[in-house]
Amino acid sequence: MADNSHTNNFLKNLSQKKYAWMEEAAATPLPPKIMSEPRTLQAAKEQIRKYAQERPAKKNKKIKLSSPDEDLSAVPPPKQHKFNHKKPSSTTSSTSSTSSSSALHHKPPMPIKVDQKVNTREETVQLEHTEEHTPIDLPVNLNQPKQTENIPQKHPQPRFKYTTFPVKGYSILPTRNISSNFARTDITYFPGCKAGSEEIAPDPEEDWRDTIIIHPGSRNLRINFASEAFPRTIPHVIARRFHSLPPKKPLEIDECSSDDEGRYEEALHDIKGELKWRMKNAKRRAVPNAEGQVLGFNSSAFKEMIPDHNDPYKVEWTEVDKTNKPEYFVGEKALNLPISKDSEYRVFYPWKHGTLNNQDYDSINQVLGDIEAIWTETIVNELEVDRTEFKDYNVVLVIPDMFNHSYLCELMTVLLRFMNFRGVIVQQESVCATYGAGVSSAVVVDIGAQKTSIACIEEGVCQVDSRMTIATGGDDITRTFASMLIKNKFPYTDIDLSTTYDWRLAEELKEKWCTMNEADISVQVYDFYTRTPFRNTIKYQCKVYDEVFLAPLCLIYPGVISVKEKEKDKKRWSSDDVVDDIIEDIGSNSLTSLNTFQQTFQRSRMDGDLSLGYGTIQHTPNTKRNRFTVYPLDAAIAQSITTAANGSEEKLKRYFTSIILVGGGGKISNFSKLLEDRVLSTILAQKASIERVEVVPAPRELDPELLVWKGATVMSKLDTAKDMWIGVKEWEEVGSRCLRERALLL
């Protein structure tokens, strides 16, 4: 109620200032004869009562004299319908003027109190001006003749020509829309718990220990209580048992066409040209015969066998009880499970390329079943929350910016109906990243394991047209780096990236060896260890040169990335054009940004400009929704910023100097500096006359991988989050409509 009174007072004061000139016009002194002389209260009562008996009143107004200082002339006298007063003489006018002025300054000797309520009716007389013809409403005293000579002309008010309400006290804006309590009351359009209800909100006494933040990813799952400072990172993988051996897929020979080979060689040539140009700018000389040194050393590399008792980082492989085999393993146990070709267990990643895995699963129910199993086991084992206590906990689910709407509804059903949580909040990754970084406006570049998403945030709101998703990430850097090592006679010749232990080895080598510093490009010798099931640990020595710099550039030059693996065996479980049973109309306006980039890209190819990067843009069914299989990262950032700025130079400069790099895919030394140079050299940045591009570092040296999860904890503790919780009752009754009512800007 305090907020409403404050709002009403503010509007009233604003109205009085806004229409001060009208009040001055209304307060113009009346002609001398219109004001009456001092009279007794009894005479006024008799006249009003007589008039009320002759003609019934239509409007009831209360007349109250609360102060003796008030003039009796303020009491509205009875009025007639027609006025045919004659023009009075000047003598009478002067006499009345004198008496009126004395009446205004005369103070009655005794206070007058009126307790009787009298019904009166106001009538107005329209005095037409000869030039303006604007009717003006003036109160008229019936006891005095009509005066027209001394009436001052009022200001013309054409906009209030036909109004009958008094100007004084009129609110400029409709008060019901400004000071309404609709969003703060228990009014709702669907059954179930009200917005902000304590039944589905966290318990204040628990101090956020009953709120779980879940951020799923393609490789890792970050989960923990909102009261904790950092999340727990668990491999987002499951090893499920098959009672009958799954049918073996026929071996497909990947025959590279001449176009694919030409595209790969062209992109590789451009990457090496980028390295030479940067080495020259940094005044660094290339090592002569570096490739020959690397090949000669790796061909006869030294290796040493280490016993298990001497290996400090020995892997504890998961043992399977042959008498009582479990149906599945999750997390680290699934990765450490020794799986042979004839094993009953198979490893699945239910989250792939930033969405549900529709390549390795046959139906969406299988994916949802594995997700429920992974999340349940993690909460029970890692967070030590019993399965029967889920009803006393809330969940904040962080999803990608361009997540499929039907998949989101399925995940909400799993959390509320099957896992039986008390309430759920859904939020986007890019918005959570700004909360974690402590900024309100930024360009969020999230480089994950298998996808890269770009979105511009303006005052905490995601700009829908600026969102872009590319199916490339840190895994592509790992594969590119492994392929370059194999070409240079990698000592570990039996490496197989399809196995969990060899993939983990390639990830470890990428994190330790890859760099974007020109000063570190030289022939160097490294040691690494291979740990495989049922074998002793083996120590190898390996020489590398420019592979450590060339591999991360695959995000800038996507021509070296294989596209067939990303598009193979994809299944369509839902329509991307249907949202809540309403088909979205995708017209030419939605394709404007894409067509602009395609024209710029083709023109740069013809001119031989390297600012956008060579490589063919893959046209997929989701291209019209800014979803691409491969796409140059620097050009995508520039295009997203240009779309969000919408021609504003101030926004362009602000966006180009506030880029936030999050995710584990970009955790390479000096990668942010290289990205600044690449974005600045794009054609779109040059056309906009951008002089500086800046990648903002994470605050307080926080790990970029944890920035999104940290922002979700901050968001869940805000007061606005109280109205965003969705319970099982309203979800069962209404379904996806709850997302529109309570999810923030999804």
Side-chain angles (χ1 to χ4, degrees), residues 24 36-37 62 77 126 164 177 191 195 257 279 282 334 344 371 389 430 434 439-440 443 467 565 578 609 632 689 746:
E24 292 176 1
S36 61
E37 296 180 359
K62 299 178 181 179
Q126 295 186 352
T164 58
N177 295 339
S257 61
M279 292 287 288
E344 296 180 343
I371 287 178
E389 298 177 357
S430 59
T434 57
V439 296
S440 59
V443 181
R467 297 180 301 178
E565 292 292 331
V578 176
D609 190 359
S689 301
L746 285 182

Side-chain angles (χ1 to χ4, degrees), residues 10-80:
F10 170 76
L11 292 173
K12 185 175 180 180
N13 296 335
L14 185 61
S15 303
Q16 294 176 355
K17 294 180 181 179
K18 182 73 175 180
Y19 296 101
W21 62 276
M22 293 183 176
E23 296 182 8
E24 292 176 1
T28 305
L30 297 176
K33 275 301 180 181
I34 293 182
M35 285 192 172
S36 61
E37 296 180 359
R39 56 185 178 180
T40 62
L41 179 61
Q42 188 65 24
K45 291 181 179 180
E46 291 293 333
Q47 292 180 358
I48 294 174
R49 188 179 297 107
K50 180 179 179 181
Y51 175 74
Q53 293 176 357
E54 292 178 357
R55 184 184 182 96
K58 294 183 179 179
K59 297 182 181 179
N60 296 331
K61 292 190 177 180
K62 299 178 181 179
I63 301 177
K64 183 177 181 181
L65 300 178
S66 59
S67 174
D69 297 338
E70 294 185 1
D71 192 359
L72 292 177
S73 61
V75 180
K79 304 170 186 176
Q80 298 179 1

Side-chain angles (χ1 to χ4, degrees), residues 25 30 36 81 97 137 202-203 291 307 320 375 424 469 585 655 659:
L30 297 176
S36 61
H81 294 284
S97 176
D137 298 341
D203 188 0
E291 294 183 0
V320 181
W375 294 1
V424 176
T469 298
D585 183 16
Y655 282 144
I659 301 176

Side-chain angles (χ1 to χ4, degrees), residues 58 60 113 161 238 269 384 507 510 583 656-657 716:
K58 294 183 179 179
N60 296 331
K113 297 183 180 181
K161 186 174 181 179
I238 184 173
H269 179 268
E384 298 180 355
E507 285 277 345
K510 178 194 71 173
I583 300 179
F656 274 108
T657 55
S716 64

Side-chain angles (χ1 to χ4, degrees), residues 343 369 478 550 586 703:
S343 176
T478 303
L550 300 180
I586 302 177
D703 190 350

Side-chain angles (χ1 to χ4, degrees), residues 86 130 287 377 589 624 657 664 693 746:
K86 295 181 180 180
T130 57
V287 178
E377 288 292 326
N589 295 334
K624 58 188 177 182
T657 55
V693 176
L746 285 182

Side-chain angles (χ1 to χ4, degrees), residues 272-419:
K272 292 183 177 180
E274 176 87 11
L275 176 60
K276 291 181 181 179
W277 178 79
R278 291 189 171 277
M279 292 287 288
K280 184 177 180 181
N281 278 357
K283 297 181 180 181
R284 299 280 178 179
R285 291 184 179 181
V287 178
N289 196 22
E291 294 183 0
Q293 296 181 34
V294 171
L295 292 175
F297 182 87
N298 292 340
S299 299
S300 57
F302 170 80
K303 63 180 180 179
E304 178 184 359
M305 186 175 298
I306 300 177
D308 291 342
H309 60 273
N310 291 336
D311 185 8
Y313 301 101
K314 177 184 176 181
V315 178
E316 297 293 337
W317 303 103
T318 304
E319 298 182 359
V320 181
D321 188 1
K322 296 182 179 180
T323 58
N324 187 16
K325 295 182 178 180
E327 292 297 325
Y328 56 84
F329 295 95
V330 300
E332 289 288 347
K333 292 184 178 180
L335 292 181
N336 296 334
L337 183 66
I339 299 177
S340 60
K341 295 181 179 180
D342 299 332
S343 176
E344 296 180 343
Y345 291 91
R346 286 185 58 188
V347 176
F348 291 95
Y349 288 88
W351 206 274
K352 195 171 185 179
H353 299 305
T355 184
L356 300 186
N357 188 350
N358 57 356
Q359 291 181 282
D360 302 330
Y361 289 88
D362 296 330
S363 67
I364 190 174
N365 292 331
Q366 295 179 357
V367 184
L368 296 175
D370 285 355
I371 287 178
E372 180 184 357
I374 296 174
W375 294 1
T376 302
E377 288 292 326
T378 302
I379 295 174
V380 171
N381 297 330
E382 298 293 334
L383 304 185
E384 298 180 355
V385 178
D386 192 73
R387 180 69 175 82
T388 58
E389 298 177 357
F390 283 5
K391 64 183 186 321
D392 299 328
Y393 286 82
N394 291 57
V395 168
V396 177
L397 179 62
V398 184
I399 61 173
D401 298 334
M402 301 181 68
F403 195 64
N404 188 288
H405 190 268
S406 61
Y407 295 168
L408 175 58
C409 295
E410 296 292 343
L411 288 178
M412 291 289 294
T413 303
V414 169
L415 291 172
L416 292 173
R417 181 189 301 172
F418 300 110
M419 299 181 71

Side-chain angles (χ1 to χ4, degrees), residues 9 202 213 261 270 309 376 394 440 456 465 639:
N9 293 335
I213 312 296
E261 292 181 357
D270 294 337
H309 60 273
T376 302
N394 291 57
S440 59
C456 296
D465 295 337
Q639 181 60 46

